């Protein structure tokens, strides 16, 4: 690995530290040969006292001396160090390697400066040697980081070379060291989404401002991180090692097979969606029924989710990926719970028992309703009802119940078959089974719904009539054109009949109100039960289990930002900060939360 | 360098402001809130236990007493972990950004970092809080759409609520750093890569430089 060494300045030990240089900070000692005749750079107008930032990986803090390799971001005046190239090296090979990396990752990777990890006192010769390196890998500003082995004292210096006209005016800037963990920054995916493939090579992150540029740099340099330190290449690097190629053949096979499988499933799902969207189902009775049944709603929702999961388009951003993963996990959990329910039902043969128990339960409910109506037809809660109206309404509702019971008895031979098929639908998921249960409850209590509708309509009519006749009683009228109440002069016969009707309606009010109240409460009870079932279904649909799992196992994936900590600081030394990735709470899951009112 | 001053908050409690000056471009303020006092703790515990004992004499069920003990313990733990903030820290780094950290009594820390590119200004605002008018320090964030507009106001030191004299101290130092940052950021950057070919040394080309390692790993 080591070639013949030539060169006048090496063979020294230690390095010149910036701290040992006497004199004003802007006096740079000339290297041994003539100072490098840089072309005068007319555009260099540095403001004094500007602080440069150097992002340094924590894994390189204990590496041997060498060259710093990374990217300089002029807009942020910060240098992102990606790796350290160790001595000995051949400059041409280093430049070749950097050109390769630059082409592969489209990140402007260059040599930024030197890194020195020394133990003893510095020597002047190595200082000149390092200055010489600055001449070969010309980069402005040129960083010189130095650390004493075994202690926490760092020093860093950034120099700008000026032209030969003013050799003493090349200045140094203050440098602030920011340590970052390459692995965490890479895995936390805080960088902006990947650039479009049709963008030019070369640096294109002009729009990424601030720290996003740093993250972007680290993320796109993954090609650099894949080279192993035990590789016998021409250049030895020190950086965080990525995991490299996947070694397990099963995982590789799974990744390879995922493409065609997704394509096949996407085709299948599109066929199903097309079939369900055909014109037959849009006819009025069918579309009305579909919109009322919560099972159809749930099935449609699941179909949408599956279409999204198996779509062949890759997720554009980490948030979308998270959403897809959450949906997939919720679908899998749903199916697993459904299968568990199915096995439990079949093991205990509960379906047969349910079918046997359903008819007596329906009968019991009808009987209770009949008792209720008899009670209403008497003197409920001590109130005195209008006998005639009471009897009419009571008999009407009793007849309804009788019809309902006959209908249920007619259906009884088919109940077991229906229930068995319903149980089978639990394969599609627990949510589907629960939706079907909710629909069955709705169907079985349809008579209660009918009673509620009748009672509500009667009550509504009565209230409207009462309000209108009350206005007449006071001599006013509702002006439909102006949407307000106006006074009106009525004829005597109008007033007479109006008052009569008003009196009749007022005296019939308690009866109707009581029927309305009772049936509304019954309906509310049924709605509450259905609502609980729907709540459970929505919970299963929208619980972000993948994010929860990530929060427990890999919290850095849920990174939401960074935080800084100031490390031990001594006066005269550069400021050192540690940048850590801070974890957010669970990402808000943006899949469909509560279902729309059907 | 570090110095500490004592101020008071809007209710009259004592606050301690610690200022750490790391460098001209990095400053940290740490405001400590008044601690939880033994008197208030004892008062709450006694109230809860007296109420539980009163219920116990009515119901003759010992579960009430155990439940009261559990509630007190869990309530105290929850209060220390979620509610009671011990100190709030403001770290300003010149070209990086502003970071606010709240440390709870149980040791939990919650941090927010705002990049300097998003910060428009740091100002002292007035607000109506319950029946008082108070001053508070806040960060104004830039609007990405409109360059001079303000998109968000982030209040600082919300649980400590210091008075104006303390806020003025913090405000002055923040403005110093912000002014310095604005001054240095408006100058054109000189970070162009060097175009000219550098003068190679006399031993040009394929010479390799090697550096004898002082110690082998």
């Amino acid at each position: 690995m080591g070639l013949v060494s030539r060169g006048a300045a090496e063979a020294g030990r230690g390095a010149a530290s910036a701290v040992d240089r006497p004199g004003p900070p802007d006096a740079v000692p000339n290297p041994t040969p003539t100072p490098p005749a840089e072309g005068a750079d007319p555009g260099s107008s540095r403001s004094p006292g500007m602080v440069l930032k150097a992002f340094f990986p924590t894994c390189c803090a204990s590496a041997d001396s060498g060259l710093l390799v990374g990217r300089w971001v002029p807009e942020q005046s910060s240098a992102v160090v990606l790796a350290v190239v160790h001595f000995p090296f051949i400059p041409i090979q280093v430049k070749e390697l950097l050109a390769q990396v630059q082409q592969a990752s489209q990140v402007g990777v260059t040599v930024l400066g030197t890194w020195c990890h020394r133990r003893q006192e510095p020597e002047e010769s190595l200082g000149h040697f390092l200055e010489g390196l600055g001449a070969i890998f010309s980069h402005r500003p040129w960083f010189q980081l130095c650390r004493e082995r075994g202690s926490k004292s760092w020093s860093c210096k950034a120099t700008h070379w000026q032209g030969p006209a003013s050799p003493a005016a090349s200045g140094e800037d203050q440098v602030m060291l920011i340590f970052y963990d390459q692995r965490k920054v890479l895995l936390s995916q805080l960088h902006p989404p990947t650039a479009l493939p049709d963008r030019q090579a070369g640096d294109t992150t002009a729009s990424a401002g601030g720290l996003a540029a740093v993250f972007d740099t680290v993320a796109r340099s993954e090609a650099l991180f894949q080279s192993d330190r035990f590789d016998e290449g021409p250049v030895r690097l020190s950086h965080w090692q990525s995991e490299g190629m996947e070694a397990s053949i099963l995982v590789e096979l799974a990744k390879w097979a995922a493409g065609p499988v997704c394509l096949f499933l996407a085709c299948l799902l599109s066929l199903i969606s097309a079939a369900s969207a055909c014109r037959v189902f849009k006819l009025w009775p069918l579309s009305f029924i579909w919109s009322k049944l919560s099972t159809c709603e749930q099935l449609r929702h699941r179909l949408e989710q599956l279409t999204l999961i198996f779509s062949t388009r890759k997720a554009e951003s980490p948030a979308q990926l998270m959403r897809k993963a959450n949906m997939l996990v919720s679908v899998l959990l749903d199916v697993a719970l459904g299968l568990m329910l199915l096995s439990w039902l079949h093991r205990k043969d509960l379906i047969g028992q349910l079918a046997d128990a359903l008819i007596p339960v329906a009968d019991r409910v009808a009987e209770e309703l009949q008792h209720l109506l008899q009670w209403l037809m008497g003197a409920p809660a001590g109130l005195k009802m209008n006998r005639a109206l009471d009897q009419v309404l009571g008999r009407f509702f009793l007849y309804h119940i009788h019809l309902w019971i006959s209908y249920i008895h007619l259906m009884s031979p088919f109940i077991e078959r229906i229930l068995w098929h319903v149980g089978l639908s639990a394969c599609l998921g627990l949510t589907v089974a629960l939706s079907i249960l909710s629909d069955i409850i709705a169907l079985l209590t349809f008579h209660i719904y009918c009673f509620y509708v009748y009672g509500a309509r009667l009550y509504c009519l009565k209230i409207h009539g009462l309000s209108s006749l009350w206005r007449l009683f006071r001599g006013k009228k509702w002006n439909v054109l102006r949407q307000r109440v106006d006074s009106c002069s009525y004829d005597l016969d109008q007033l007479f009949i109006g008052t009569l009707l008003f009196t009749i309606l007022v005296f019939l009010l308690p009866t109707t109100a009581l029927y309305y109240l009772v049936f509304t409460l019954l309906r509310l009870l049924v709605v509450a039960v259905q609502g609980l079932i729907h709540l459970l279904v929505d919970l299963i649909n929208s619980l972000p289990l993948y994010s929860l799992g990530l929060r427990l196992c890999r919290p850095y994936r849920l990174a939401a930002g960074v935080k800084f900590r100031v490390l031990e600081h001594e006066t005269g030394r550069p400021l050192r900060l540690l940048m850590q990735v801070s974890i957010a709470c669970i990402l808000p899951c943006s899949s469909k939360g509560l279902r729309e009112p059907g | 360098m570090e110095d500490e001053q004592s101020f008071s908050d809007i209710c009259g409690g004592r606050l301690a402001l610690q200022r750490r000056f790391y460098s001209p471009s990095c400053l940290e303020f740490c405001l400590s809130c008044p601690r939880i006092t033994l008197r208030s703790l004892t008062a709450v515990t006694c109230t809860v236990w007296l109420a539980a004992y009163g219920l116990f004499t009515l119901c003759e069920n010992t579960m009430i007493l155990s439940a009261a003990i559990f509630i007190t313990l869990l309530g105290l733990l929850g209060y220390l972990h979620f509610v009671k903030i011990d100190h709030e820290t403001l770290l300003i780094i010149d070209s990086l950004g502003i970071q606010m950290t709240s440390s709870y009594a149980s040791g939990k820390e919650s941090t927010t970092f705002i990049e300097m590119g998003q910060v428009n200004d740091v100002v002292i605002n007035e607000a109506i809080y319950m029946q008082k008018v108070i001053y508070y320090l806040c960060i104004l964030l830039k609007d990405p759409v409109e360059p001079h507009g303000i998109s968000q106001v982030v209040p600082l030191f919300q649980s400590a609520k210091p008075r104006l004299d303390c806020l003025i101290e913090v405000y002055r130092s923040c403005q110093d750093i912000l002014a310095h940052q604005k001054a240095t950021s408006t100058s054109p950057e000189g970070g162009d890569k060097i175009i000219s070919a550098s003068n190679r040394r006399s031993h040009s080309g394929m010479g390799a430089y090697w550096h004898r390692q002082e110690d082998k790993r």
Side-chain angles (χ1 to χ4, degrees), chain B:
Chain B
M1 70 189 180
E2 217 176 281
D3 70 355
E4 183 160 337
Q5 284 172 287
S6 115
F7 293 96
S8 64
D9 68 2
I10 57 174
C11 303
R14 285 181 57 90
L15 294 175
L17 177 73
Q18 248 187 348
R19 177 189 1 220
R20 282 188 213 110
F21 181 81
Y22 293 114
S23 85
S25 59
C26 179
L27 202 54
E28 187 174 30
F29 287 99
C30 183
L31 200 57
S32 322
C33 306
R35 296 286 175 90
I36 183 171
T37 57
L38 192 60
R39 193 194 306 181
S40 59
L41 189 62
T42 321
V44 170
T45 314
C46 287
T47 319
V48 172
W49 284 2
L50 277 176
Y53 194 69
L55 271 178
F56 170 68
T57 48
L58 284 174
C59 303
E60 303 289 337
N61 189 358
T62 52
M63 285 292 287
I64 295 183
L65 296 178
S66 335
I69 294 178
F70 269 127
I71 289 174
T72 316
L73 278 175
L74 288 176
L76 184 67
L77 283 177
Y79 177 71
L80 290 179
H81 192 72
F82 293 111
V83 176
K84 179 83 186 80
I85 293 187
D86 229 1
H87 51 265
E88 289 178 307
T89 312
L90 181 73
L91 176 68
I92 312 172
I93 308 166
D94 190 349
S95 41
L96 270 182
I98 306 183
Q99 170 172 294
M100 286 98 59
T101 311
S102 308
S103 326
Y104 291 82
S106 64
K108 175 173 101 158
E109 282 189 0
S110 99
T111 316
T112 319
F113 177 74
I114 301 178
E115 286 190 49
M116 206 44 108
Q118 291 180 336
V119 171
N120 193 338
D121 205 357
V122 174
V123 295
I124 297 184
N125 258 350
E126 285 178 306
I128 298 179
Y129 178 73
M130 302 287 213
Q131 78 285 9
K132 299 193 247 251
V133 175
I134 59 168
Y135 296 96
Y136 66 99
L137 190 69
C138 57
I139 303 178
L140 304 175
L141 298 185
K142 282 187 189 154
D143 197 2
V145 174
E146 196 195 339
H148 291 290
I150 312 251
S151 76
Q152 211 181 341
V153 172
V154 180
L156 302 174
F157 300 129
Q158 277 191 294
S159 65
K161 296 197 195 71
R163 286 200 177 159
L164 190 59
D165 43 4
C166 177
L167 290 179
I168 288 180
E169 289 288 329
V170 182
Y171 173 76
R172 282 212 188 105
S173 313
C174 290
Q175 285 294 332
D176 282 340
I177 293 191
L178 281 182
H180 180 245
Q181 192 260 331
K182 283 200 172 85
T184 53
S185 72
T186 49
S187 64
E189 301 289 327
D192 308 310
K193 300 241 190 317
I194 292 180
I195 311 160
S196 61
S198 59
N199 187 17
R200 301 282 183 229
R201 293 176 183 251
S202 50
H203 40 77
S204 61
M206 306 302 289
Y209 298 89
W210 65 276
H211 169 74
R212 260 186 289 147
Q213 307 269 345
E214 291 136 22
D215 51 333
K216 298 286 176 243
R217 221 171 299 130

Side-chain angles (χ1 to χ4, degrees), chain A residues 35-111:
Chain A
E38 309 286 327
D41 197 4
S44 72
S45 56
R46 239 176 348 98
S47 62
M50 197 161 64
V51 177
L52 302 179
K53 300 183 286 238
F55 289 86
F56 195 75
T58 45
C59 52
C60 295
S62 53
D64 287 337
S65 316
L67 286 178
L68 297 170
V69 160
R71 180 182 161 217
W72 166 251
V73 184
E75 300 92 29
Q76 317 292 328
S77 54
S78 54
V80 184
V81 175
L82 294 169
V84 172
V85 175
H86 295 296
F87 302 119
F89 56 83
I90 305 177
I92 297 289
Q93 286 177 339
V94 172
K95 288 190 180 169
E96 268 173 18
L97 173 73
L98 291 181
Q100 270 175 13
V101 171
Q102 193 158 352
Q103 199 177 25
S105 63
Q106 297 181 355
V107 172
V109 178
T110 54
V111 176

Side-chain angles (χ1 to χ4, degrees), chain A residues 218-477:
Chain A
V218 176
R220 292 197 296 170
S221 318
E222 202 157 352
L224 185 63
F225 297 142
Q226 277 173 354
S227 61
D228 197 88
R229 76 168 140 182
F230 299 111
D231 275 348
E232 289 291 326
V235 177
R236 256 190 340 136
L237 289 170
S238 215
H239 53 76
W240 169 67
Q241 316 253 301
S242 68
E243 279 119 15
M245 301 291 291
E246 177 64 55
S248 156
I249 191 149
L250 287 175
V251 174
E252 284 294 319
L253 275 178
K255 279 193 200 161
W256 180 84
V261 166
C262 275
L263 197 60
F264 170 66
L265 282 172
C267 290
L268 199 64
L269 286 170
S270 63
L271 271 177
I272 297 180
S273 338
S276 69
C278 80
R279 297 293 298 273
V280 172
F281 296 118
K282 295 272 195 306
L283 297 176
W284 180 79
L286 280 177
S287 70
F288 181 71
I289 294 177
W290 291 157
S291 68
K292 288 292 172 205
L293 286 179
S294 58
T295 313
C296 302
E297 181 70 30
Q298 176 65 17
L299 282 173
R300 193 178 318 147
H301 181 227
R302 276 283 179 240
L303 193 65
E304 270 173 25
Q305 281 189 337
L306 283 174
T307 318
L308 189 63
I309 294 173
F310 290 119
S311 75
T312 43
R313 235 182 19 197
K314 273 180 86 65
E316 277 124 27
S317 64
Q320 256 196 348
L321 187 67
M322 202 73 75
R323 202 179 308 156
K324 276 173 104 168
N326 278 331
M327 276 189 223
L328 183 65
V329 171
S330 104
V331 166
L332 288 176
L333 177 77
D334 200 14
V335 169
L337 285 176
L339 288 173
M340 270 170 50
L341 178 72
L342 198 61
S343 73
W344 178 67
L345 282 178
H346 276 275
R347 192 176 340 139
K348 302 262 184 87
D349 191 28
L350 278 178
I351 296 197
Q353 291 176 4
L354 257 179
D356 289 337
L358 203 63
I359 303 293
V361 162
D363 277 342
R364 181 73 197 281
V365 167
E367 220 178 279
E368 291 297 322
L369 270 179
Q370 280 174 339
H371 282 243
L372 183 70
L373 282 168
Q374 298 287 355
W375 178 68
L376 279 177
M377 290 202 315
L383 294 171
K384 188 149 191 305
M385 314 283 278
N386 180 288
R387 178 61 54 105
L389 183 62
D390 221 355
Q391 298 284 330
V392 161
L393 286 176
R395 284 210 197 109
F396 176 61
F397 289 139
L398 278 173
Y399 181 62
H400 244 277
I401 293 178
H402 173 76
L403 277 179
W404 184 253
I405 291 295
S406 328
Y407 168 66
I408 292 280
H409 280 278
L410 205 69
M411 289 270 300
S412 60
F414 307 112
I415 292 282
E416 176 154 3
R417 192 75 55 78
I418 294 176
L419 274 183
W420 189 82
H421 283 288
V422 161
L424 207 59
S425 76
C427 294
L428 290 172
L430 184 66
T431 47
V432 177
L434 283 175
S435 313
I436 292 186
L437 179 69
S438 150
D439 286 336
I440 287 180
I441 290 179
L443 283 176
L444 282 182
T445 56
F446 190 63
H447 50 318
I448 296 182
Y449 176 64
C450 286
F451 292 170
Y452 161 72
V453 169
Y454 301 149
R457 284 268 181 254
L458 269 178
Y459 184 72
C460 186
L461 274 173
K462 183 171 284 265
I463 291 294
H464 276 296
L466 269 178
S467 55
S468 167
L469 289 172
W470 171 246
R471 277 184 228 119
L472 178 139
F473 194 66
R474 284 162 49 220
K476 301 215 185 288
K477 192 175 107 153

